[in-house]
Amino acid sequence: MRNDKNHKRYLLIGVLMYLQCLMPTMAQDGKIYHFGIAEGLPSLAVYDTHQDSKGYMWFATDAGVCRFNGYDFELYDQSKGLTDNLVLKIAEDSKGRIWFGTFNRKLCYYENGSIQEYPYNDSLQQYMHSNYGMKSFYIDTLDNIWIGIWLDGICKMNASGHFSQMIESDDSIRYSYQLKKVENCILL
């Protein structure tokens, strides 16, 4: 009697597994959207993208930076406060400010509906060699800006605009450091 009961149980499990295989699988359909100039991007050259803490998508282009709300693009360029129309990097700090690194080795940020120039851009440009630009940057909770400089290492500019070299590239081997925040750490 006991074997008969186990046999029925195994048969039922087998039938259910077989029926499950016959049922079509349900999965989310992935959608890919293409945005171009006709949809509102000012250029097809996009150097960086970022989704901010409010859900907006930001696109760094050679004609300024665009904020996308899911329906429309809003362009910010030099006429609206950018230091250069060629934007290469985007980052968000803990205060919700959206920062932009531009081709002319300057920083600016979006806050309260407008773009503000970083007050220590002159120091930033003096520190970076004329041939090198920002590979990446990160703003910590104390408003220190950590900058990975092409072929020159990593530096930190504190909230008062003073620089310190954190990691210097060896003259024989030039490195480009990419900074990335994961959890509460900055990775190289």
Side-chain angles (χ1 to χ4, degrees):
M1 177 113 177
R2 185 174 171 100
N3 283 340
D4 191 37
K5 202 175 201 182
N6 283 338
H7 180 68
K8 287 181 183 178
R9 183 180 302 161
Y10 291 128
L11 182 62
L12 178 62
I13 291 172
V15 169
L16 290 174
M17 289 175 63
Y18 177 74
L19 290 175
Q20 185 179 11
C21 292
L22 294 177
M23 296 172 58
T25 57
M26 304 297 285
Q28 293 179 339
D29 291 330
K31 293 187 180 186
I32 298 174
Y33 297 99
H34 179 270
F35 296 109
I37 294 171
E39 290 76 27
L41 273 176
S43 169
L44 294 179
V46 176
Y47 298 100
D48 197 10
T49 60
H50 176 77
Q51 183 171 12
D52 70 20
S53 58
K54 295 176 182 166
Y56 292 106
M57 288 295 301
W58 294 85
F59 299 89
T61 76
D62 59 359
V65 67
C66 288
R67 184 177 74 165
F68 183 62
N69 64 10
Y71 302 100
D72 300 305
F73 288 93
E74 184 173 0
L75 175 65
Y76 296 90
D77 57 15
Q78 283 182 292
S79 69
K80 292 187 177 180
L82 278 179
T83 58
D84 190 349
N85 280 340
L86 180 47
V87 179
L88 300 171
K89 289 292 175 187
I90 304 172
E92 183 172 7
D93 68 15
S94 62
K95 297 174 184 170
R97 297 177 294 188
I98 311 300
W99 289 75
F100 310 108
T102 59
F103 181 73
N104 62 2
R105 296 179 308 278
K106 291 184 178 182
L107 292 172
C108 51
Y109 58 90
Y110 175 86
E111 182 179 40
N112 298 325
S114 65
I115 294 182
Q116 308 296 320
E117 186 171 347
Y118 180 60
Y120 303 111
N121 273 334
D122 291 339
S123 299
L124 184 65
Q125 284 192 310
Q126 285 177 353
Y127 186 82
M128 284 193 279
H129 303 351
S130 61
N131 295 330
Y132 307 136
M134 282 180 263
K135 167 80 172 156
S136 60
F137 62 93
Y138 169 75
I139 301 90
D140 67 22
T141 57
L142 300 174
D143 284 342
N144 295 312
I145 300 177
W146 298 79
I147 303 169
I149 300 174
W150 279 104
L151 306 176
D152 202 32
I154 295 177
C155 66
K156 179 178 84 169
M157 180 178 257
N158 68 19
S160 302
H162 295 100
F163 265 103
S164 56
Q165 183 84 27
M166 304 310 288
I167 298 175
E168 190 169 353
S169 288
D170 185 332
D171 284 338
S172 62
I173 302 173
R174 298 300 226 172
Y175 297 100
S176 295
Y177 292 95
Q178 175 74 32
L179 300 172
K180 185 79 175 167
K181 182 182 183 233
V182 177
E183 299 289 324
N184 290 323
C185 300
I186 301 173
L187 302 178
L188 301 178

